[in-house]
């Protein structure tokens, strides 16, 4: 933790070297995309995309799960998505799954999650995967299917469905390899994940 504190203490000095760009952030944000990914520490969206402060609106959940829209049920995820689409007017949403995902791995391996009931219930509610299938080391296939499922659930959110149907919102399914840095994207025409 101490290294993080030391870095944070001196961050203002480094920000001052780019004071024009940081200063403009006081006027508001105008992010281009909502980036939804796993809470996994091995994924750094700004490092992967080159996004600068103000460029990416982010939502991170265990297993990059996007809950379906449930009217009148308070939801951090629903609020984040709605704000990004309706207020910020983002033009694209990326759902980015990743190799070696602990959440997806737990489901396909059928791990005993009784000791972490919040995790168990979140995964049970948020994944359509079944245990015992394709539990390969990197989990590429189940994660990719899982990502496509989350993109479909994005469409249950009224703001997403409307803007996507109007052609004003792009929906993207990405797969990131934590051990190589490679990024694959789903090509709907051939229903396959290929390098960006
Ligand atoms: Zn993960």
């Amino acid at each position: 933790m101490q290294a993080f504190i030391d870095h944070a203490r001196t961050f203002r000095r480094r920000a001052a070297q780019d004071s024009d760009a940081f200063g403009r952030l006081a006027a508001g944000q105008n992010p281009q995309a909502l980036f939804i990914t796993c809470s996994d520490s091995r994924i750094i969206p700004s490092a992967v995309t080159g996004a600068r402060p103000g460029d990416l609106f982010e939502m991170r959940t265990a297993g990059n799960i996007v809950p379906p829209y449930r009217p009148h049920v308070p939801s951090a995820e629903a609020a984040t998505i709605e704000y990004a689409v309706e207020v910020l007017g983002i033009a694209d949403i990326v759902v980015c799954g990743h190799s070696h995902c602990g959440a997806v791995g737990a489901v396909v391996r059928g791990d005993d999650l009784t000791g972490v009931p919040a995790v168990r219930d979140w995964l049970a509610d948020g994944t359509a995967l079944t245990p015992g299938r394709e539990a390969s080391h990197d989990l590429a296939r189940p994660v990719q299917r899982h990502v496509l499922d989350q993109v479909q659930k994005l469409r249950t959110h009224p703001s997403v469905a409307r803007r996507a149907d109007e052609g004003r919102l792009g929906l993207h399914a990405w797969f990131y390899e934590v051990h190589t840095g490679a990024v694959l994207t789903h090509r709907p025409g051939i229903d396959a994940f290929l390098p960006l």
Side-chain angles (χ1 to χ4, degrees):
M1 187 64 198
Q2 190 56 47
F4 299 152
I5 293 170
D6 293 343
H7 195 274
R9 278 183 176 141
T10 57
F11 186 64
R12 182 175 186 169
R13 203 160 59 226
R14 285 188 298 280
Q17 296 167 5
D18 197 8
S19 58
D20 285 352
F22 274 88
R24 281 193 295 274
L25 297 175
Q29 61 171 328
N30 186 27
Q32 303 166 42
L34 168 61
F35 197 91
I36 299 171
T37 192
C38 186
S39 300
D40 192 298
S41 61
R42 293 167 291 186
I43 308 163
I44 304 177
S46 60
V48 173
T49 62
R52 300 282 300 152
D55 288 344
L56 269 190
F57 204 63
E58 292 186 30
M59 183 172 95
R60 305 190 71 149
T61 65
N64 44 266
I65 286 169
V66 177
Y69 185 73
R70 295 176 175 120
H72 312 302
V73 177
S75 160
E77 295 78 22
T80 302
I81 292 164
E82 186 180 79
Y83 188 82
V85 173
E86 297 287 2
V87 178
L88 299 176
I90 49 105
D92 293 276
I93 303 178
V94 178
V95 180
C96 182
H98 68 100
S99 69
H100 308 84
C101 182
V104 170
V107 174
V108 298
R109 286 190 304 268
D111 289 356
D112 178 4
L113 299 175
T114 51
V116 280
V119 174
R120 177 196 61 202
D121 294 349
W122 174 251
L123 296 180
D125 187 54
T127 68
L129 300 167
T130 51
R133 296 187 59 199
E134 301 180 49
S136 61
H137 182 60
D138 67 1
L139 298 168
R141 294 286 297 247
V143 167
Q144 290 169 3
R145 277 206 311 279
H146 173 69
V147 168
L148 292 174
D149 186 38
Q150 305 315 309
V151 172
Q152 284 307 310
K153 285 192 291 179
L154 264 179
R155 287 182 158 278
T156 67
H157 293 253
S159 57
V160 173
R162 185 172 63 254
R163 296 233 179 179
D165 289 346
E166 292 169 356
R168 292 196 290 158
L169 183 63
L171 303 178
H172 311 267
W174 284 14
F175 174 75
Y176 174 66
E177 289 185 348
V178 297
H179 56 306
T180 68
V183 182
L184 283 65
T185 187
H186 181 249
R187 307 281 186 196
I190 55 174
D191 193 22
F193 279 78
L194 297 176
L196 274 177

